[in-house]
Amino acid sequence: MRINKYIACAGVASRRKADELIANGNVRVNGLVLREPGYDVVEGDIVEVNGRRIETSEKKVYILLNKPTGYVTTVSDDRERDTVMDLVADVDARIFPVGRLDYNTSGMLIMTNDGDFAYKLTHPKHEMPKTYRALVSGVLSDEKCGRLERGVDIGGFRTSPAKVKIVRGLSNATLVDITIHEGKNRQVRKMFRAVGNPVKQLQRIAIGDIRLGRLAEGHYRKLTREEIEYLKRR
Ligand code: URA
């Protein structure tokens, strides 16, 4: 098995991240720093990442976390902020977040130790729809909803068609659900800003057909077998 896939199967990182680890000299095979990114791991090889031996036999774990705001979506943070890892500290597997939610965004985050699964789920070609509930400033007119649905310019990038559904109009704000198929950095915030209704609060409420439901903030649950199969099929 190719080394980047081996690292992904061991649940250490996605394949893309594994390539970075290799390029940075963080991977050793049989005691020597690996210089060949295309190396094929063979039976009996001892593979180490950052000095720690890895193996591919760890059971795959798939969980759904309701991330609160105020947590970074990384495995560690050099600014010592709380990370989503703090919320899953009792999970007995080396899981990592699939994709990212901003520090100030709450809601649904999948975490796993299955690097291949993570790679597939975040790859742009799979276009997994993601639904966000946003509280935005001001009134979101039908005309603005139409613009968001057709696509807006968010600084050199035109967003692809989205679905927009007003949940409730408030006195000087609007609660709205938006479903997008891309994952540009801060995309939803930029989209609403582009039509003049900045986001005040943002929560991811669904990935594909899987919904956050009533899971309390800061809590997690295991994905069901059906949910895992569904995500793998996409
Ligand atoms: N879009 C955003 O602006 N922020 C997120 O966290 C996710 C999508």
Side-chain angles (χ1 to χ4, degrees), residues 83-114:
T83 80
V84 290
M85 301 310 292
D86 299 329
L87 301 165
V88 295
D90 56 351
V91 175
D92 189 20
R94 284 169 295 176
I95 57 172
F96 54 88
V98 179
R100 193 153 50 89
L101 286 178
D102 299 337
Y103 186 76
N104 287 322
T105 301
S106 64
M108 190 167 172
L109 184 70
I110 291 175
M111 300 181 76
T112 185
N113 57 354
D114 183 342

Side-chain angles (χ1 to χ4, degrees), residues 62-68 87-88 106-111 203-205 210-223 227:
Y62 306 86
I63 67 168
L64 189 163
L65 169 72
N66 185 356
K67 174 195 171 301
L87 301 165
V88 295
S106 64
M108 190 167 172
L109 184 70
I110 291 175
M111 300 181 76
Q203 180 192 33
R204 181 152 70 197
I205 57 170
I210 303 175
R211 301 192 70 83
L212 180 61
R214 293 186 180 277
L215 186 64
E217 269 198 10
H219 287 242
Y220 66 84
R221 68 167 174 85
K222 283 192 175 158
L223 286 178
E227 288 170 335

Side-chain angles (χ1 to χ4, degrees), residues 67 73 100-106 130 132 180 182-191 199 202-204:
K67 174 195 171 301
T73 310
R100 193 153 50 89
L101 286 178
D102 299 337
Y103 186 76
N104 287 322
T105 301
S106 64
K130 301 199 176 77
Y132 297 85
I180 59 170
E182 306 135 316
K184 297 284 173 208
N185 191 26
R186 302 178 74 80
Q187 177 162 339
V188 173
R189 293 175 196 276
K190 287 177 184 168
M191 287 175 76
V199 167
L202 189 61
Q203 180 192 33
R204 181 152 70 197

Side-chain angles (χ1 to χ4, degrees), residues 144-224:
K144 286 178 173 184
C145 287
R147 278 165 62 198
L148 288 163
E149 289 194 320
R150 287 189 298 276
V152 287
D153 188 328
I154 54 166
F157 177 81
R158 193 170 176 80
T159 57
S160 61
K163 264 200 215 133
V164 176
K165 194 172 138 226
I166 305 277
V167 179
R168 200 174 315 132
L170 306 165
S171 58
N172 198 19
T174 307
L175 196 60
V176 54
D177 286 352
I178 182 165
T179 303
I180 59 170
H181 295 81
E182 306 135 316
K184 297 284 173 208
N185 191 26
R186 302 178 74 80
Q187 177 162 339
V188 173
R189 293 175 196 276
K190 287 177 184 168
M191 287 175 76
F192 283 107
R193 186 165 284 281
V195 295
N197 298 77
V199 167
K200 292 154 150 316
Q201 280 172 26
L202 189 61
Q203 180 192 33
R204 181 152 70 197
I205 57 170
I207 297 179
D209 290 347
I210 303 175
R211 301 192 70 83
L212 180 61
R214 293 186 180 277
L215 186 64
E217 269 198 10
H219 287 242
Y220 66 84
R221 68 167 174 85
K222 283 192 175 158
L223 286 178
T224 64

Side-chain angles (χ1 to χ4, degrees), residues 24-110:
N24 293 336
N26 296 332
V27 177
R28 283 174 184 263
V29 176
N30 303 325
L32 298 175
V33 172
L34 185 69
R35 298 288 171 209
E36 263 179 78
Y39 181 78
D40 258 321
V41 180
V42 293
E43 187 82 41
D45 274 347
I46 294 176
V47 180
E48 289 166 280
V49 175
N50 292 326
R52 197 160 150 203
R53 179 153 184 202
I54 61 163
E55 279 163 307
T56 56
S57 54
E58 192 173 76
K59 194 167 172 290
K60 299 286 185 273
V61 175
Y62 306 86
I63 67 168
L64 189 163
L65 169 72
N66 185 356
K67 174 195 171 301
T69 58
Y71 285 79
V72 265
T73 310
T74 49
V75 173
S76 64
D77 183 49
D78 47 17
R79 287 160 60 190
E80 311 233 319
R81 291 171 297 180
D82 291 330
T83 80
V84 290
M85 301 310 292
D86 299 329
L87 301 165
V88 295
D90 56 351
V91 175
D92 189 20
R94 284 169 295 176
I95 57 172
F96 54 88
V98 179
R100 193 153 50 89
L101 286 178
D102 299 337
Y103 186 76
N104 287 322
T105 301
S106 64
M108 190 167 172
L109 184 70
I110 291 175

